[in-house]
């Protein structure tokens, strides 16, 4: 047996030591913080600190991010209209964008003026006249007399007449806080409109910059997926607006025929509430039925029948025909998305939940189809069909 030399090699003629004389390696010792390289520790602390800073910045800029999201959503919805007008104007994109945005502003301003001003006036009148109204109802006058007796509303109103009068004064007066709130809302509104205009006017440049980030072989599928998702969003929103318009017009006709007070405000409320998925139409109908019943029990009964019939027509005829399956989502998915969106973004989230969920569904489905297409494996005996040249030569 050979023995190792000074370099650890066994030379011929040398004798190796017995196995039991070879020193065993020291047992494995447990790692400690001292064994961790300081660079790893610094990098870990840096990642945690950077994540915290990013989260703080996102929370601080949450309002701005919401404005950008709303503007992007409006740009997606208005993009088809801008495209058609741009073709009619001979490629004058800025003029087409300005025309569409200005027309949208006029429509929104008209709706807000028709809805908010009468509601504020009527709310002030209701609160101001509430003590006398409740007193008359307590004497058995009006359809709510029994309700007033059962709930003991008259004593509550008498003990809170001062607070109710102050609430009416706050609604009818222009205090600094109300002016500040209005100024903040105006700034948000103007910012969103400007962002929407910039998104629409610079859509081509934004699209080119986004597509250049994607690898070349995936650009065509990405463009197709983005186009399908945008079509789903704009199709749903436009269809939903049309359905809400029909709901508001039919409700207005019914309320005018029944002689219910403030039919314009109630019809606008029905139209706006109908935009909210699942529960919006029911809420709008319930408010109109209550208003009609307070006007007269007969009007209330007729309004109940009308809204039940209209809901069946809307769900069975109008919705499938107008929407044309632009967004086909499971009702459970709609409910979950609406609840989550309302919890995070409020009423705005309820309006955007379904189109955003539809767009995500389109994206996921398209991505899965692209992956299946890329994973397609041809059989070994597959041969390409002969070309026309080869066929003629044979």
């Amino acid at each position: 047996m050979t023995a190792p030399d000074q370099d650890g090699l066994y030379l011929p003629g040398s004798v190796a030591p017995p196995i039991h004389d070879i020193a065993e390696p020291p047992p494995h010792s447990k790692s400690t913080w001292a064994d961790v390289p300081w660079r790893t520790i610094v990098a870990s602390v840096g990642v945690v600190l950077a994540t915290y800073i990013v989260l703080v910045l996102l929370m601080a800029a949450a309002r701005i991010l919401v404005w950008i999201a709303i503007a992007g959503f409006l740009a997606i919805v208005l993009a088809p209209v801008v495209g058609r007008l741009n073709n009619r104007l001979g490629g004058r994109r800025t003029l087409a964008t300005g025309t569409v945005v200005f027309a949208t502003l006029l429509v929104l301003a008209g709706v807000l003026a028709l809805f908010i001003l009468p509601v504020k006036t009527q709310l002030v009148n209701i609160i101001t006249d509430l003590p006398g109204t409740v007193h008359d109802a307590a004497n058995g006058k009006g359809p709510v007399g029994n309700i007033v007796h059962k709930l003991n509303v008259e004593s509550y109103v008498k003990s809170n007449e001062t607070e109710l009068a102050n609430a009416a004064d706050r609604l009818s007066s222009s205090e600094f806080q109300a002016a500040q709130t209005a100024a903040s809302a105006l700034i948000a509104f103007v910012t969103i409109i400007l962002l929407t205009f910039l998104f629409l006017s610079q859509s081509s440049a934004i699209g080119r910059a986004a597509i250049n980030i994607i690898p070349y072989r995936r650009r065509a599928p990405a463009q197709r997926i983005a186009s399908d998702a945008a079509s789903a969003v704009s199709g749903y929103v436009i269809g939903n607006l049309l359905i809400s318009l029909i709901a508001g017009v039919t409700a207005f006709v019914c309320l005018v025929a029944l002689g219910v007070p403030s039919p314009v405000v109630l019809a606008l409320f029905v139209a706006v509430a109908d935009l909210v998925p699942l529960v919006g139409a029911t809420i709008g109908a319930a408010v109109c039925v209550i208003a009609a019943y307070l006007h007269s029990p007969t009007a209330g009964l007729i309004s109940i029948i009308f809204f039940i019939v209209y809901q069946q027509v809307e769900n069975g005829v109008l919705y499938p025909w107008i929407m044309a399956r632009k967004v086909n989502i499971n009702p459970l998915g709609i409910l979950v998305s609406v609840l989550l969106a309302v919890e995070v973004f409020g009423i705005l989230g309820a309006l955007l939940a379904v189109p955003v969920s539809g767009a995500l569904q389109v994206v996921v489905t398209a991505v899965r189809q692209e992956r299946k297409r890329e994973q397609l494996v041809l059989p070994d005996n597959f041969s390409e069909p002969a070309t026309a040249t080869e066929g003629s030569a044979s």
Side-chain angles (χ1 to χ4, degrees):
M1 184 178 295
T2 59
D5 61 356
Q6 59 182 359
D7 295 329
L9 299 175
Y10 287 91
L11 301 176
S14 60
V15 180
I19 297 177
H20 58 80
D21 292 339
I22 299 176
E24 296 181 357
H28 180 69
S29 59
K30 295 183 178 180
S31 300
T32 61
W33 282 105
D35 300 328
V36 181
W38 65 271
R39 293 182 178 179
T40 303
I41 297 176
V42 172
S44 302
V45 173
V47 170
V48 173
L49 183 60
T51 304
Y52 174 77
I53 293 174
V54 170
L55 291 177
V56 170
L57 291 176
L58 289 177
M59 293 177 63
R63 182 174 59 177
I64 306 300
L65 295 176
V66 171
W67 291 356
I68 295 173
I70 296 173
F73 183 83
L74 291 176
I76 293 174
V77 173
L78 298 177
V81 182
V82 173
R84 294 190 183 94
L85 186 58
N86 183 37
N87 294 332
R88 290 181 176 273
L89 295 176
R92 303 170 69 178
R93 181 81 182 183
T94 304
L95 179 59
T97 302
T99 303
V100 172
V101 172
F102 184 72
T104 305
L105 277 175
L106 290 180
V107 173
L108 290 177
V111 171
L112 291 176
L114 288 173
F115 185 74
I116 293 179
L117 296 179
V119 167
K120 178 182 177 180
T121 303
Q122 292 182 10
L123 188 59
V124 171
N125 294 335
I126 289 173
I127 295 177
T128 304
D129 299 337
L130 187 59
T133 303
V134 174
H135 179 73
D136 293 339
N139 294 330
K141 299 178 181 180
V144 295
N146 295 330
I147 299 177
V148 170
H149 279 298
K150 292 180 180 180
L151 299 180
N152 197 21
V153 178
E154 185 178 11
S155 61
Y156 174 80
V157 173
K158 286 183 178 179
S159 60
N160 294 276
E161 286 186 5
T162 304
E163 288 78 3
L164 292 173
N166 293 334
D169 292 337
R170 286 195 298 271
L171 286 172
S172 58
S173 62
S174 57
E175 299 178 354
F176 175 75
Q177 185 176 3
Q180 187 177 9
T181 303
S184 301
L186 181 61
I187 292 173
F189 184 76
V190 172
T191 304
I192 291 172
I193 294 300
L194 289 177
L195 287 173
T196 304
F197 177 82
L198 293 176
F199 280 148
L200 287 171
S201 60
Q202 303 295 325
S203 59
S204 299
I206 295 173
R208 286 193 300 269
I211 204 65
N212 289 333
I213 303 175
I214 303 173
Y216 182 79
R217 66 187 185 89
R218 296 186 182 275
R219 289 181 182 179
Q223 288 177 334
R224 184 169 58 252
I225 293 172
S227 177
D228 293 341
S231 298
V233 172
S234 60
Y236 173 82
V237 173
I238 294 174
N240 202 17
L241 287 174
L242 183 57
I243 292 175
S244 299
L245 178 62
I246 295 174
V249 171
T250 54
F252 176 77
V253 173
C254 175
L255 295 173
V256 169
L258 295 176
V260 179
S262 305
V264 175
V265 176
L266 293 173
L268 284 174
F269 180 79
V270 170
V272 174
D274 199 66
L275 294 173
V276 181
L278 298 178
V279 298
T282 303
I283 294 175
V287 171
C288 289
V289 167
I290 293 174
Y293 181 77
L294 293 176
H295 176 66
S296 70
T298 304
L301 180 60
I302 295 175
S303 64
I304 290 176
I305 298 173
F306 167 79
F307 281 107
I308 290 176
V309 173
Y310 173 77
Q311 286 300 315
Q312 300 304 315
V313 174
E314 179 180 303
N315 296 331
V317 179
L318 292 178
Y319 198 88
W321 177 61
I322 294 177
M323 302 305 292
R325 293 188 172 273
K326 286 290 184 182
V327 179
N328 185 17
I329 308 177
N330 186 276
L332 179 60
I334 294 178
L335 180 59
V336 172
S337 62
V338 169
L339 292 177
L340 292 176
V342 169
E343 184 66 23
V344 177
F345 299 106
I347 187 64
L348 180 64
L351 298 176
L352 303 183
V354 176
V356 172
S357 300
L360 291 177
Q361 177 176 303
V362 170
V363 171
V364 172
T365 303
V367 169
R368 291 177 60 184
Q369 291 176 353
E370 291 297 328
R371 292 190 62 183
K372 289 181 180 179
R373 188 178 294 108
E374 291 181 354
Q375 295 173 357
L376 180 62
V377 178
L378 298 178
D380 296 335
N381 58 353
F382 177 81
S383 60
E384 295 184 358
T387 61
T389 306
E390 295 175 350
S392 60
S394 61

